[in-house]
Amino acid sequence: MITRRGLLEAAGGALAFGGGAALTAPARGAESTNSSLPSLSPLLPAGTRAEAVLDTLPGKKPLIKLTYRPPNYESPLAYLRTAITPNGEFFVRYHLADIPEVDAGTWKLNIGGEGANGNLQIGLDDLKKLPAFEVVAVCQCAGNRRGLFEPHVPGVQWGPGAMGCARWKGARLKDVLDLVGLKKEALEVVFDGADGPVLDKTPDFVKSLPVWKAIEETTLVAYEMNGEPLPHWNGFPARIVAPGWTATYWVKHVISITAVTRPFDGFWMKTAYRIPVGKFPLVARFISQETAANTPITEIVVNSLITNPADGARVKAGRKTAISGIAWDGGYGIRSVEISADNGKSWTEASLGEDPGKFAFRPWSYEYIPKWRGKLLLAARAANKIGQIQTQELIPNPPGYNNNVAQTVALHVT
Ligand SMILES: Nc1nc2c(c(=O)[nH]1)N[C@H]1C(S)=C(S)[C@@H](COP(=O)(O)O)O[C@H]1N2
Ligand SMILES: [Mo]
């Protein structure tokens, strides 16, 4: 059994664990006995993921393992204190368990489809010959914070760490499509990765984007992440990067890119990753995939996270306490982060830190002097430049997506 001290050290990278040890998910707001230790399952309802353990995938630092087949590994909060998430600390999410180690020398990307003027197969060298572009962008699973849904919804019980922000480098998807040329009638662009289902009954993971999003200047076929080749677990040798949109479209180990003239109707478009129409204030629409009842999830909702101090931490009355975190949205840019110490009655603005770009994590900080001893609840909420603001109440939806409820940490003032 690894102690909470051990977990803290693992989170800081001081220790590496071969196997895993059970992580206890402290009840929401529970005061910990040694509250200088950050929780690795912060804010989750008690017992939500009793099976979660810290585990080290090859090439990664210890991550919170939620499932092994397929691999679903969350970044601990301690890895999310900076605008850029290092590759070794970046979360890992797969739907399918058959994940080949792709060989860069033999990897081929097929480009074509009935919505294109021709077909072509290119290798990694060819891809790298196209003009290279970089974008700093948040890759966030639509189901990030699903484990915080009350009432509980089924699915991987993610805490707040099913996301990361990296500097992605690659060719523009538009330039890749221009190699064959799109027909006027092209409606969507479809992506398939090299991974596949172990059992035939699981549908292959294939996604599509509307043409307008596919040819946006910032949408890339990326082969580098933070200045290095993509790690295997994050899509080596190339993946789609669709800044502003949830990571379900960021197909890893991409092997085929095809243009189609009719809505792509695979399971992962038609059935999964859909949200009720009209419930979320989304601007970006995927009209060819909309039905009267639901729409594919598109852009990332405005959100923020308090990364320091951790929930349950002990702070001193009358002393300046540094509060810090990150804020992000679907690419409109963060306008403000506000802090409330009175259950949302009043809010004061935090200072925004470095701005690595409108698709990136925006660090923020705030100094607070706790006045009274006892329990202190501090909440943070972000607003973006088009006036969207984090919600105070969860917007229920069956698959547990888009949780952007303003987060509260409970501090123990002594
Ligand atoms: N090939 C492939 N690409 C994929 C997936 C997958 O299962 N297979 N999952 C998608 C989902 S749902 C998410 S959240 C992101 C996760 O990216 P990461 O593992 O690099 O963190 O990958 C996306 N790309
Ligand atoms: Mo996801």
Side-chain angles (χ1 to χ4, degrees):
M1 178 75 195
I2 291 171
T3 60
R4 296 191 74 204
R5 162 66 65 193
L7 294 177
L8 170 66
E9 283 163 359
L15 287 179
F17 295 101
L23 273 187
T24 42
R28 173 72 191 88
E31 262 117 83
S32 97
T33 42
N34 187 349
S35 42
S36 64
L37 300 183
S39 159
L40 291 185
S41 302
L43 312 175
L44 279 138
T48 298
R49 47 182 205 185
E51 306 294 299
V53 294
L54 269 188
D55 191 21
T56 312
L57 290 168
K60 290 279 179 185
K61 285 198 180 173
L63 295 168
I64 303 166
K65 178 175 90 178
L66 299 174
T67 63
Y68 180 66
R69 273 175 77 83
N72 283 304
Y73 284 67
E74 172 173 342
S75 297
L77 206 52
Y79 297 174
L80 295 170
R81 293 194 173 130
T82 48
I84 297 285
T85 318
N87 294 358
E89 304 181 8
F90 214 90
F91 84 109
V92 175
R93 201 271 187 268
Y94 279 96
H95 289 280
L96 311 170
D98 180 14
I99 306 161
E101 294 266 351
V102 180
D103 178 67
T106 55
W107 174 82
K108 293 280 179 242
L109 177 61
N110 291 289
I111 312 156
E114 36 101 17
N117 291 325
N119 291 291
L120 193 67
Q121 199 177 55
I122 63 170
L124 194 54
D125 292 346
D126 306 315
L127 183 65
K128 288 183 177 171
K129 278 183 205 134
L130 293 172
F133 294 91
E134 290 191 344
V135 63
V136 181
V138 174
C139 174
Q140 181 188 228
C141 182
N144 194 26
R145 301 191 190 170
R146 179 186 288 125
L148 281 67
F149 266 65
E150 285 178 275
H152 169 93
V153 292
V156 178
Q157 295 301 298
W158 299 111
M163 61 169 192
C165 179
R167 176 179 295 275
W168 309 93
K169 180 178 168 184
R172 280 188 176 142
L173 176 54
K174 179 184 187 309
D175 291 343
V176 172
L177 290 167
D178 279 348
L179 293 173
V180 290
L182 289 185
K183 288 185 183 155
K184 277 200 312 291
E185 312 84 88
L187 189 64
E188 297 179 7
V189 179
V190 181
F191 313 97
D192 191 8
D195 49 337
V198 174
L199 297 171
D200 287 347
K201 64 178 191 221
T202 325
D204 192 11
F205 189 75
V206 184
K207 297 292 296 188
S208 68
L209 283 173
V211 164
W212 72 263
K213 181 66 184 174
I215 64 172
E216 242 179 16
E217 297 208 324
T218 45
T219 302
L220 304 181
V221 182
Y223 43 77
E224 270 186 28
M225 179 176 175
N226 295 326
E228 289 166 20
L230 292 180
H232 164 67
W233 302 108
N234 302 105
F236 184 85
R239 82 179 300 172
I240 301 302
V241 165
W245 283 36
T246 59
T248 180
Y249 300 100
W250 298 40
V251 173
K252 302 190 275 189
H253 322 286
V254 62
I255 51 170
S256 113
I257 299 179
T258 50
V260 293
T261 55
R262 269 164 301 175
F264 176 70
D265 68 353
F267 173 84
W268 300 101
M269 290 307 303
K270 215 174 119 181
T271 309
Y273 286 104
R274 286 188 164 261
I275 51 174
V277 162
K279 274 207 168 184
F280 295 96
L282 298 177
V283 177
R285 285 178 62 184
F286 195 159
I287 290 172
S288 56
Q289 289 283 343
E290 288 178 6
T291 69
N294 57 46
T295 164
I297 191 164
T298 57
E299 62 199 3
I300 296 170
V301 289
V302 64
N303 221 329
S304 70
L305 197 57
I306 301 171
T307 53
N308 215 8
D311 192 51
R314 211 168 274 261
V315 297
K316 287 254 180 281
R319 290 244 196 103
K320 276 186 190 162
T321 301
I323 317 287
S324 58
I326 48 174
W328 66 99
D329 80 331
Y332 302 101
I334 294 301
R335 190 189 61 206
S336 66
V337 174
E338 299 168 298
I339 307 293
S340 176
D342 58 7
N343 281 316
K345 284 192 228 39
S346 64
W347 295 87
T348 26
E349 272 198 34
S351 320
L352 297 180
E354 59 173 309
D355 182 2
K358 60 183 186 166
F359 297 110
F361 284 155
R362 185 86 193 259
W364 57 265
S365 60
Y366 184 75
E367 263 184 3
Y368 185 76
I369 305 181
K371 293 192 194 70
W372 297 285
R373 294 199 168 81
K375 188 167 161 181
L376 167 68
L377 295 176
L378 278 186
R381 71 172 186 196
N384 66 9
K385 289 181 178 162
I386 58 166
Q388 298 173 330
I389 190 159
Q390 284 183 254
T391 59
Q392 290 300 113
E393 305 244 339
L394 191 70
I395 301 176
N397 64 100
Y401 296 146
N402 279 349
N403 183 347
N404 72 335
V405 175
Q407 177 211 4
T408 304
V409 294
L411 303 179
H412 198 63
V413 185
T414 59

